[in-house]
């Protein structure tokens, strides 16, 4: 079903001149650098106010106001999505009330702190999890396998099924070679749980090998981290955690996993 997008701007205090544009072509023009769009001259006037069906949509809002010396002016930019026009107008009107908007920010902060406490994670770690989430959704060449590995793959999604991995969700792959890197396992398990709490589903696949011959001990350590945290109950489930011994995988399957992993 078609969705409705709502962009709104709310200014507290001084009278503001507000304008908008929904056509990216009118805002950036064609073929010009994004860093210097025509809609952003040194002394910009109001945006054109284009609306309706456009080939390349944009959300551009401009608000011109005067701030008196030693004063501050709160400006809220509200963006949302709704199934219909009226459902989009309601939150736009509601959160135009600065006190309600402040309350929402306070509640969101409290909720975020509760999640971090639940995960045993810091704010800096949460920021890291958010940055990694971008690469889970949109493949980042810097974090994927090398181009020569990708070029060697000859298998399809069906090649994952023998390892109980469907391939229906993005895959995050961790290769663990020794028990000294268990902190990395803990971080990725926390990131995986954080993503799930935020609505992002991914399969976390952990390859393990131990050159010192302590494979069972390494496996037990990984399982202890899983069972003792928020990932408990998500082992070997879609959108969960999958632990595989590297020595039991053939080279072609290793290449496949590296190819599909984000």
């Amino acid at each position: 079903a078609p969705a409705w997008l709502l962009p709104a701007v709310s200014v507290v205090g001084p009278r503001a001149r507000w304008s908008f544009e929904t056509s990216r072509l009118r805002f950036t023009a064609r073929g010009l650098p994004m860093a210097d769009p025509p809609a952003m001259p040194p002394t910009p006037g109001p945006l054109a106010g284009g609306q309706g069906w456009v080939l390349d949509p944009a959300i551009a809002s401009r608000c011109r106001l005067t701030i008196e010396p030693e004063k501050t002016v709160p400006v809220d930019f509200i963006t949302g999505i709704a199934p219909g026009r009226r459902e989009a107008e309601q939150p736009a009107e509601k959160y135009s009330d600065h006190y309600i908007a402040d309350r929402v920010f306070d509640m969101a902060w409290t909720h975020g702190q509760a999640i971090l406490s639940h995960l045993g994670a810091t704010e800096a770690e949460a920021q890291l999890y958010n940055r990694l989430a971008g690469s889970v959704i949109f493949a980042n060449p810097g974090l994927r396998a090398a181009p020569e590995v990708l070029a060697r793959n000859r298998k399809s999604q069906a090649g994952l099924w023998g390892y109980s991995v469907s391939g229906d969700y993005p895959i995050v792959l961790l290769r663990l070679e020794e028990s000294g890197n268990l902190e990395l396992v803990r971080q990725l398990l926390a990131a995986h749980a954080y993503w799930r709490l935020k609505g992002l589903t991914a399969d976390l696949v952990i390859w393990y090998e131990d050159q010192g011959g302590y494979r069972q001990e390494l496996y037990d350590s990984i399982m202890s981290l899983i069972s003792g945290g928020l990932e408990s109950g998500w082992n070997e489930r879609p959108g969960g955690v999958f632990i595989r011994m590297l020595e039991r995988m053939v080279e072609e399957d290793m290449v496949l996993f590296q190819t599909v992993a984000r």
Side-chain angles (χ1 to χ4, degrees):
W4 285 71
L5 192 64
L6 66 101
V9 180
S10 173
V11 180
V12 181
R15 192 172 192 85
R17 288 170 288 172
W18 183 81
S19 60
F20 68 91
E21 180 57 69
T22 63
S23 171
R24 186 171 178 268
L25 179 61
R26 283 189 184 144
F27 191 84
T28 63
R30 190 178 300 278
L32 296 181
M34 291 289 290
D36 189 23
M40 298 290 288
T43 54
L47 295 173
Q51 58 181 305
W53 295 103
V54 294
L55 180 62
D56 198 1
I59 304 176
S61 300
R62 173 169 294 155
C63 177
R64 299 199 67 184
L65 52 93
T66 301
I67 304 178
E68 298 295 333
E70 306 298 329
K71 301 294 184 180
T72 61
V73 176
V75 180
D76 294 330
F77 287 87
I78 304 155
T79 307
I81 191 168
R85 177 170 183 148
R86 184 55 195 154
E87 292 88 344
E89 290 173 343
Q90 287 173 342
E93 294 169 0
K94 176 180 179 180
Y95 296 116
S96 292
D97 184 323
H98 185 63
Y99 295 104
I100 294 179
D102 272 355
R103 176 65 176 156
V104 169
F105 272 103
D106 291 341
M107 292 175 64
W109 184 87
T110 302
H111 178 68
Q113 293 302 305
I115 288 179
L116 293 182
S117 176
H118 198 41
L119 290 171
T122 66
E123 184 68 38
E125 286 175 323
Q127 292 176 13
L128 172 62
Y129 304 158
N130 284 325
R131 289 197 300 271
L132 287 174
S135 297
V136 174
I137 299 170
F138 302 104
N140 177 0
L143 294 179
R144 295 191 68 206
E148 55 268 24
V149 175
L150 304 181
R152 285 164 50 202
N153 181 54
R154 296 294 181 269
K155 288 197 164 188
S156 65
Q157 180 178 350
L160 303 170
W161 299 345
Y163 298 91
S164 301
V165 178
S166 68
D168 293 337
Y169 301 116
I171 293 175
V172 177
L173 179 62
L174 169 63
R175 182 170 181 169
L176 192 68
E177 297 182 353
E178 56 183 29
S179 57
N181 289 330
L182 282 173
E183 174 59 21
L184 186 57
V185 178
R186 185 201 67 78
Q187 276 201 316
L188 269 180
L189 289 173
H192 191 250
Y194 180 84
W195 298 334
R196 187 171 64 251
L197 290 171
K198 295 290 185 178
L200 174 59
T201 302
D203 289 331
L204 174 57
V205 178
I206 301 175
W207 287 352
Y208 74 98
E209 58 178 335
D210 196 314
Q211 308 297 342
Y214 298 98
R215 295 183 186 87
Q216 185 61 43
E217 183 178 325
L218 182 56
Y219 174 81
D220 291 342
S221 298
I222 298 171
M223 287 302 300
S224 177
L225 287 173
I226 294 174
S227 60
L230 290 180
E231 296 292 72
S232 177
W234 283 91
N235 193 29
E236 302 293 328
R237 287 178 53 185
V241 186
F242 302 85
I243 307 173
R244 299 293 178 262
M245 184 187 293
L246 203 57
E247 288 86 344
R248 294 180 180 175
M249 299 183 68
V250 297
E251 178 68 20
E252 291 133 345
D253 292 344
M254 291 170 61
V255 170
L256 171 63
F257 267 96
Q258 292 176 84
T259 300
V260 299
R262 296 290 174 90

